[in-house]
Amino acid sequence: MAESFAVDVQGVQKKFGSLQALDGVTLRVRSGEIYGLLGPNGAGKTTLIRSIVGLVAPDAGTVSVLGLRMPNVENLRNVGYMTQQAALYPGLSVEENVQFFAAVNGAESGVTDALKLVELDQRRKSVVTTLSGGMRQRCSLACAIVHRPKLLLLDEPTVGLDPQLRVRFWDSFREMADGGTTIVVSSHVMDEAERCQRLGLVQYGKLLAEGSPDEIRSLAGTNNLEEAFLRLAGTGAES
Amino acid sequence: MSGHRIGAITRRLLQQFRRDRRTLALLFVAPIVILALLGYMIRGSSSTPSVGIANEDQGPLGATLASALERSSLISASTIQASEGDSRLKDGSLVAYIVFPADFSQRAQSGTIAPEVHLEGSQPGTSVPVLQALQQAFASSGPAAAVHFQPQIQYLYGGQGLDRLDYFGAAFIGLIVFFLVFVITIVAFLNERSQGTLERLMASPLRRGEIVIGYMIGFTVLALVQSAEVLLFALAVLKVYNQGNVILIFGLEALMALAAVNLGIFLSMFARTEFQAVQFIPLVVVPQFLLSGILFPVSTEPKPLQVISDVLPLTYAVNGLRDVMIKGADLTWSSLQLDAGVVAAYCVLLIVAGVATLRRRIA
Ligand SMILES: Nc1ncnc2c1ncn2[C@@H]1O[C@H](COP(=O)(O)OP(=O)(O)O)[C@@H](O)[C@H]1O
Ligand SMILES: [Mg+2]
């Protein structure tokens, strides 16, 4: 292998009934980069991320993560996954939630670091039901990173966050990427795209275009990413 | 399999319950309320049974016991002739009569006290006070410890001579544990799915078997505490008749709890929402309640229903609990081996089914 890819998706197809959720997606994420999956609601971002972790079985095509064909349960030790909804145990405290996911991955030592990174170490004893939405998102992120995964998959992690918190989230993504973590992050907000090294534009289950933000802009012949996306999507339909 | 990760699941479950007061209340308060209500319904209105005493003893012991029985607060005793006893039972003026036969004192000298106890038998709740009164009279009259107390019991009408709570109590102990544990497991497992944490677990190195076993241990811990509580209440407070080994009863209850946990996990795979899960409850509980011999003996059911009864795990559990508690069965009885074996086999089957139906894939 000339270049090491953290994620290698080849021609993945997935149909739900008559709905083609993924229609021959091929993409590669390089080790250590932040890769943005951009697309409107229903484009297939979550389905794509689920097929990367092995939660969705592709009808056709292959997925490899960190050089190993998926599904591979042992390999999931190296993967962190933050689901689109903040999936937490509502009756447990912040710390108990993070501890649980640490234990599941055999990484109890990471709890304090993870809580510090998401700035929840002051609230570690708070029960999740008493937290604000933003705090829940942060707790959910802490659960995904507590075992220091090599590959971090974040499904719309900043939805519903206020602008300050959004900036802090992206700062911590940057920090983790600088530490060698590969990050795949989905978003339907274009202004977050600038913070990714490379982007994949998804619509109707297809990868419309791929490249750095600059490459995407020049491909579409515009200075504005949002505009670029609309042009590349052709019809310009976005929900 | 990693014990460490299984332990993590178990610990987390118990942590959740620590804060979930309502569920804890369901687990630990509901069984007592149900049993207490049942006990009150069945025994609440009991009056002291009328018992006839026929003393034909040529020695002194019969008279001593007869006067002790007349003083007993458990029964209201009256003197009768042995020959009129059966007709008094039939006309309902007595529920039991006791005969001290001519050789009563004589046989007592040779080591056996054998009064004849004739019970009406069809009326629940009467035999226990009669036998208790007799035993107390025997104890207070103070014969030598070496004497065997061997009442010769005869029923006018077949019956066991136990009251309804004794008969149902054994079954209800099992049923209550089975039902409550099943409900809580199915809902808890479904929550795991609907709150999205199952998706997270499936994207972790956890094996499916580890999840199922972790759940099983967590709920079994709760179920065992509940079983112990229910058993203690039934035996110590309600004084449900028990001839058998308490450890054996507890063991059967634990097996039922295990089956209930795994049935809950298994069925939760087929429910998408909590509402759907709730619909499983009558589906699972009502047929078993009606067909497992709790209310009507399986042998009196129409043949097609007997076939169904014979495949329900609760049928075996109920039968086993009754054999232990009422007949004093132990593990040397082949019927009890069968009952315990079938319930245990169901546990294994449901664990396998639970693991097999738990999908890593969402689609
Ligand atoms: N488990 C599923 N069953 C049926 N349809 C699904 C399922 N998951 C996703 N879909 C459908 O697939 C399409 C893509 O969904 P998704 O991947 O969630 O999009 P995105 O995350 O980009 O908003 C949507 O039309 C959605 O309704
Ligand atoms: Mg999505």
Side-chain angles (χ1 to χ4, degrees):
Chain A
M1 220 186 272
E3 194 178 3
S4 78
F5 295 107
V7 178
D8 190 345
V9 175
Q10 295 290 335
V12 164
Q13 308 254 6
K14 182 70 194 180
K15 242 183 168 163
F16 294 117
S18 62
L19 182 108
Q20 192 78 46
L22 293 178
D23 192 2
V25 175
T26 294
L27 63 81
R28 285 170 166 164
V29 179
R30 298 184 189 120
S31 288
E33 75 179 354
I34 300 183
Y35 188 102
L37 275 180
L38 293 185
N41 280 321
K45 305 180 295 293
T46 298
T47 306
L48 182 55
I49 290 177
R50 283 176 173 165
S51 66
I52 294 172
V53 268
L55 287 168
V56 159
D59 301 331
T62 61
V63 174
S64 296
V65 167
L66 304 165
L68 297 171
R69 271 290 287 275
M70 297 302 280
N72 179 327
V73 176
E74 270 310 306
N75 199 22
L76 290 172
R77 192 180 298 283
N78 304 309
V79 179
Y81 173 35
M82 181 177 168
T83 49
Q84 188 166 348
Q85 59 169 144
L88 299 167
Y89 296 100
L92 298 190
S93 70
V94 168
E95 187 175 35
E96 286 162 349
N97 266 286
V98 180
Q99 262 166 357
F100 171 64
F101 286 103
V104 158
N105 287 286
E108 280 88 339
S109 60
V111 174
T112 300
D113 283 352
L115 288 174
K116 284 208 174 106
L117 191 85
V118 301
E119 299 174 39
L120 272 181
D121 49 333
Q122 303 296 318
R123 296 295 301 265
R124 61 199 305 160
K125 299 290 178 206
S126 302
V127 176
V128 165
T129 44
T130 67
L131 297 181
S132 70
M135 287 177 186
R136 284 182 206 198
Q137 297 271 84
R138 276 143 69 194
C139 184
S140 182
L141 178 62
C143 292
I145 61 172
V146 64
H147 57 297
R148 299 190 181 85
K150 295 188 187 124
L151 171 67
L152 188 55
L153 302 167
L154 306 167
D155 197 357
E156 307 211 21
T158 58
V159 166
L161 296 189
D162 58 60
Q164 290 97 319
L165 197 53
R166 190 174 285 215
V167 168
R168 288 217 299 260
F169 258 55
W170 277 97
D171 287 345
S172 43
F173 300 160
R174 184 73 263 157
E175 207 177 298
M176 284 184 277
D178 291 344
T181 308
T182 308
I183 298 178
V184 175
V185 50
S186 78
S187 174
H188 66 269
V189 189
M190 293 302 149
D191 61 4
E192 295 191 327
E194 292 291 353
R195 310 206 47 162
C196 302
Q197 273 138 323
R198 284 201 312 143
L199 300 173
L201 303 189
V202 190
Q203 190 161 33
Y204 304 128
K206 289 198 177 74
L207 196 71
L208 298 176
E210 195 180 34
S212 68
D214 283 339
E215 284 166 349
I216 299 274
R217 275 188 288 259
S218 65
L219 197 66
T222 165
N223 282 329
N224 181 323
L225 260 183
E226 192 131 7
E227 179 68 24
F229 184 85
L230 294 177
R231 282 194 194 176
L232 291 166
T235 61
E238 198 189 342
S239 52
Chain B
M1 282 284 161
S2 146
H4 187 75
R5 293 188 297 230
I6 293 174
I9 299 243
T10 303
R11 186 157 5 93
R12 193 215 78 219
L13 266 177
L14 296 177
Q15 281 171 343
Q16 275 176 290
F17 277 105
R18 213 181 51 218
R19 297 217 182 80
D20 190 350
R21 298 275 157 77
R22 202 174 313 185
T23 303
L24 282 179
L26 179 65
L27 262 177
F28 298 117
V29 178
I32 300 304
V33 172
I34 294 170
L35 273 180
L37 187 69
L38 201 66
Y40 181 64
M41 274 168 53
I42 294 174
R43 284 187 180 162
S45 62
S46 74
S47 53
T48 54
S50 305
V51 178
I53 314 273
N55 183 20
E56 300 176 341
D57 189 13
Q58 286 161 358
L61 189 54
T64 317
L65 286 179
S67 65
L69 283 171
E70 266 157 43
R71 288 193 304 271
S72 171
S73 61
L74 293 169
I75 56 173
S76 48
S78 58
T79 307
I80 60 158
Q81 296 299 314
S83 55
E84 62 174 321
D86 279 349
S87 57
R88 297 278 308 268
L89 287 187
K90 278 184 187 144
D91 70 21
S93 59
L94 292 178
V95 296
Y97 68 95
I98 298 169
V99 179
F100 300 115
D103 61 350
F104 187 61
S105 293
Q106 201 184 324
R107 286 192 64 196
Q109 306 256 295
S110 59
T112 310
I113 286 209
E116 291 170 15
V117 181
H118 298 260
L119 293 164
E120 193 264 358
S122 76
Q123 290 180 39
T126 54
S127 66
V128 172
V130 173
L131 291 174
Q132 266 177 1
L134 191 57
Q135 198 134 27
Q136 282 172 8
F138 166 65
S140 69
S141 67
V147 173
H148 280 293
F149 180 64
Q150 261 176 5
Q152 308 294 304
I153 300 174
Q154 283 176 15
Y155 294 101
L156 180 62
Y157 304 115
Q160 278 283 348
L162 300 173
D163 83 351
R164 276 175 288 176
L165 188 61
D166 294 320
Y167 196 60
F168 293 131
F172 273 109
I173 287 173
L175 185 71
I176 287 173
V177 170
F178 183 86
F179 178 67
L180 293 177
V181 169
F182 167 71
V183 169
I184 286 172
T185 318
I186 193 170
V187 171
F189 209 81
L190 199 79
N191 274 342
E192 185 93 62
R193 194 188 295 277
S194 58
Q195 75 205 3
T197 45
L198 190 62
E199 183 176 355
R200 274 204 137 134
L201 296 186
M202 289 308 185
S204 81
L206 271 175
R207 310 279 160 163
R208 292 174 302 156
E210 291 170 349
I211 297 176
V212 171
I213 293 176
Y215 253 82
M216 194 179 80
I217 296 173
F219 281 112
T220 303
V221 168
L222 292 173
L224 290 185
V225 177
Q226 189 201 44
S227 303
E229 183 207 27
V230 165
L231 192 56
L232 193 73
F233 186 78
L235 294 181
V237 179
L238 293 180
K239 303 212 187 301
V240 169
Y241 182 81
N242 175 34
Q243 283 279 298
N245 184 334
V246 176
I247 305 288
L248 204 52
I249 305 171
F250 185 70
L252 280 174
E253 277 192 276
L255 270 183
M256 291 191 71
L258 267 183
V261 166
N262 289 297
L263 184 65
I265 293 177
F266 173 63
L267 286 182
S268 74
M269 314 286 171
F270 301 99
R272 284 279 156 268
T273 63
E274 217 166 290
F275 183 62
Q276 289 176 355
V278 169
Q279 295 163 17
F280 278 124
I281 295 167
L283 284 179
V284 168
V285 174
V286 174
Q288 300 217 71
F289 182 72
L290 292 177
L291 294 178
S292 62
I294 295 174
L295 300 178
F296 318 106
V298 173
S299 57
T300 65
E301 287 172 4
K303 279 275 176 287
L305 288 184
Q306 285 192 24
V307 175
I308 301 174
S309 295
D310 285 347
V311 299
L312 296 177
L314 210 58
T315 305
Y316 296 89
V318 165
N319 196 43
L321 281 170
R322 276 191 180 145
D323 276 0
V324 172
M325 294 183 70
I326 295 175
K327 300 182 187 163
D330 58 43
L331 278 176
T332 61
W333 292 36
S334 62
S335 65
L336 190 61
Q337 290 168 2
L338 175 75
D339 290 334
V342 170
V343 180
Y346 258 98
C347 291
V348 174
L349 192 76
L350 286 168
I351 293 171
V352 172
V355 174
T357 41
L358 181 56
R359 289 263 149 280
R360 191 166 288 276
R361 303 302 178 88
I362 282 172

